Amino acid sequence: MLTNAPRGTKDILPQEISKWNYVENSFRNECLKNGFSEIRTPIFEHTELFKRGVGETTDIVQKEMYTFEDHGNRSITLKPEGTAPVVRAFLESKQYAETQPTKYFYNTSCYRYEKPQAGRLREFHQFGVEIFGTDSMLADVQVISLADDFLKKLGIKDLELRINSVGCPKCRAEYKEALRDYFRPHLNGLCDTCKDRFERNPMRIIDCKSPHDHELALGAPSILDYLCEECSEAFDDLKEGLDASGIEYIVDPTIVRGLDYYTKTAFEFVTNEIGAQGTVCGGGRYDNLIKEIGDQDIPGVGFGLGIERLLLLMEKTGASFPEPETMDALIITLGDDAKKHGIWLARELRSKGLKCDMDVMERNMKGQLKYADKKGYRYAVIIGDNELASGKCQLKDLKNSTQEDVSFDDLAEYLGK
Ligand code: ATP
Ligand code: MG
């Protein structure tokens, strides 16, 4: 028990961290190139924020949140997603009073009490972006193209972009009725969650993951036949913008976000390569969300991208990762004077930007050399009394198995090459 991590959580061990650093740096670069600024918000928020910002009728709020009372009797919830906290921070800092739009990106852990399986964890990590302050489809196109560029740059080919419009509360009222009419004769056959959704949130039935409901949903009316003029024009603008940017997409009316705050654009990047949890990135427009959380009527658009699913997909499809960085040198010493010189030399070399280390296990010389070899150090810098006297160390190239004498003064430059 004590040596098992809680169910649904995963350590990211040093063996994997270079992959995480790689995708994190790539994401950051892509966002900075697009003029987004990083934002970090707390791991926990007032529970009410997510009830409002994610929606009372969602699976997240109904059954997935980690909620507890703190010692001051406040209801607190661990962040299940990234958008609501970012909206809260935007409102609290009155960023809306500055020149718009506001463009944020983030990299955060999220917490959802779900059934753990491949690509579904209780603690997972998301990249996300948001653009606040404009309802122009240019913003939607930028958000989608940022995700597309990021994913392509990682060498991922097996992803499909699926887009849809979920309309607005006006056009959805009629659509929801049409959906209820369609599902009503099949109500008894739906899964329990969907029986519940039928009244509260019938659009959610469309993205149910149970095979039976999914099959049935394929024949359901399409929201695209119910869009009002404004939403219909916006969807045309979106498609034109994506065409102009050269991004390929598939129009898929089953991509839905069941909440009233979500409007117009909905999109997902999906794959068949990693099993049932195939949505790597999901996003869309939420013109009524900010108003729901604060009292500012400000539109927004963004996405969340699951980092574990991204890495799963990259591993599964053989995408390449950079080699983990190796250490430049291990300083190997023989005798007390050499050891003292080694302590000084290690700091000196590090101050010049080199990655070097001493053996802190107090092994004998042979042991130190073996250690350097095993751990993949590029060079061994060998120092004993003779080397101290001559002012030159023995430098052993562990990759090419060659050796030469190098003066201490020239060492940093030599290793740097
Ligand atoms: P799903 O339909 O797979 O449950 P979702 O609609 O709940 O996804 P979002 O809330 O849109 O997902 O989150 C954005 C992204 O975060 C998802 O596309 C996915 O890549 C990732 N994600 C969501 N939940 C989990 C989880 N429990 N474990 C790992 N990744 C997740
Ligand atoms: Mg989910």
Side-chain angles (χ1 to χ4, degrees):
M1 175 76 176
L2 278 182
T3 53
N4 290 122
R7 195 165 138 73
T9 67
K10 249 191 184 159
D11 299 311
I12 303 168
L13 297 169
Q15 299 88 290
E16 298 149 49
I17 206 75
S18 65
K19 295 181 179 177
W20 282 77
N21 287 336
Y22 171 57
V23 296
E24 285 171 349
N25 290 336
S26 307
F27 183 69
R28 168 185 303 267
N29 280 340
E30 203 54 52
C31 290
L32 294 175
K33 275 194 284 176
N34 277 272
F36 286 70
S37 308
E38 182 167 1
I39 184 165
R40 299 186 193 186
T41 65
I43 286 297
F44 58 86
E45 296 275 354
H46 296 294
T47 301
E48 197 52 33
L49 176 68
F50 298 114
K51 287 194 171 170
R52 287 286 197 98
V54 180
E56 298 266 10
T57 65
T58 57
D59 289 351
I60 292 181
V61 171
Q62 294 221 321
K63 49 188 192 197
E64 296 175 358
M65 294 205 303
Y66 278 89
T67 296
F68 61 95
E69 210 162 84
D70 72 5
H71 294 297
N73 302 324
R74 299 168 197 90
S75 181
I76 294 292
T77 294
L78 302 185
K79 191 192 272 197
E81 58 95 48
T83 304
V86 169
V87 168
R88 199 252 325 120
F90 168 78
L91 292 168
E92 189 168 352
S93 65
K94 299 195 168 55
Q95 190 58 40
Y96 51 79
E98 307 295 323
T99 307
Q100 294 305 300
T102 300
K103 295 157 77 178
Y104 292 133
F105 75 92
Y106 57 83
N107 171 3
T108 183
S109 55
C110 295
Y111 302 84
R112 297 185 193 175
Y113 194 79
E114 299 199 76
K115 194 168 154 225
Q117 50 201 293
R120 197 175 291 288
L121 293 147
R122 290 182 175 168
E123 181 187 65
F124 65 99
H125 299 78
Q126 270 190 5
F127 294 137
V129 306
E130 319 286 352
I131 301 183
F132 299 148
T134 172
D135 60 9
S136 163
M137 283 294 131
L138 287 172
D140 304 47
V141 171
Q142 185 173 19
V143 159
I144 293 174
S145 74
L146 188 158
D148 191 74
D149 287 340
F150 166 63
L151 293 164
K152 289 224 170 86
K153 231 162 253 152
L154 294 177
I156 298 172
K157 290 173 223 89
D158 310 271
L159 272 175
E160 240 169 42
L161 168 62
R162 299 184 162 258
I163 64 165
N164 190 24
S165 172
V166 294
C168 63
K170 265 185 290 163
C171 34
R172 268 198 307 261
E174 201 191 331
Y175 176 60
K176 283 185 183 171
E177 269 324 304
L179 272 184
R180 288 197 187 94
D181 289 344
Y182 173 80
F183 284 114
R184 193 169 289 112
H186 311 283
L187 193 51
N188 285 332
L190 293 177
C191 75
D192 288 345
T193 316
C194 285
K195 281 192 187 106
D196 205 40
R197 286 168 172 155
F198 180 80
E199 277 309 324
R200 283 190 289 108
N201 197 357
M203 281 173 71
R204 268 288 170 189
I205 303 177
I206 291 182
D207 74 347
C208 179
K209 287 174 186 85
S210 104
H212 167 273
D213 297 4
H214 179 72
E215 185 77 14
L216 186 63
L218 293 178
S222 161
I223 174 93
L224 296 176
D225 296 329
Y226 291 80
L227 295 183
C228 66
E229 201 177 313
E230 186 191 320
C231 291
S232 181
E233 274 169 18
F235 195 47
D236 289 339
D237 284 350
L238 173 71
K239 287 183 286 186
E240 272 170 31
L242 291 176
D243 290 338
S245 71
I247 297 173
E248 284 176 31
Y249 58 86
I250 294 167
V251 175
D252 179 351
T254 69
I255 304 290
V256 291
R257 316 232 121 204
L259 276 182
D260 286 345
Y261 334 134
Y262 291 107
T263 48
K264 298 176 180 162
T265 309
F267 67 89
E268 289 183 358
F269 285 86
V270 291
T271 176
N272 291 318
E273 296 285 334
I274 53 172
Q277 274 55 250
T279 303
V280 174
C281 173
R285 179 162 278 285
Y286 43 81
D287 287 346
N288 298 319
L289 171 65
I290 300 179
K291 191 164 61 188
E292 187 65 30
I293 292 175
D295 49 11
Q296 303 286 326
D297 190 1
I298 297 170
V301 59
F303 68 70
L305 189 156
I307 306 179
E308 283 83 358
R309 286 189 200 176
L310 173 70
L311 289 171
L312 259 179
L313 176 63
M314 289 178 71
E315 278 153 17
K316 195 76 192 292
T317 57
S320 59
F321 291 96
E323 288 293 314
E325 287 195 16
T326 51
M327 292 291 285
D328 295 316
L330 184 72
I331 297 169
I332 291 178
T333 62
L334 184 66
D336 281 345
D337 289 341
K339 197 187 289 177
K340 283 181 193 148
H341 189 70
I343 295 171
W344 173 84
L345 182 63
R347 294 192 74 201
E348 178 71 10
L349 293 177
R350 288 180 198 128
S351 78
K352 295 189 168 141
L354 291 157
K355 292 184 294 240
C356 75
D357 217 353
M358 281 179 85
D359 171 42
V360 294
M361 301 295 288
E362 307 264 2
R363 291 180 178 91
N364 64 21
M365 197 116 147
K366 206 171 143 204
Q368 294 179 57
L369 260 171
K370 241 170 126 176
Y371 175 73
D373 218 26
K374 188 151 186 214
K375 286 294 191 178
Y377 284 82
R378 181 73 175 80
Y379 291 96
V381 176
I382 302 167
I383 318 171
D385 289 340
N386 290 344
E387 286 72 25
L388 288 182
S390 68
K392 285 183 176 173
C393 67
Q394 292 178 46
L395 187 67
K396 196 164 175 199
D397 183 329
L398 297 172
K399 197 162 142 196
N400 301 323
S401 302
T402 54
Q403 186 161 328
E404 60 186 301
D405 294 346
V406 177
S407 89
F408 288 116
D409 293 339
D410 299 337
L411 188 57
E413 200 188 334
Y414 192 103
L415 292 175
K417 277 192 281 198

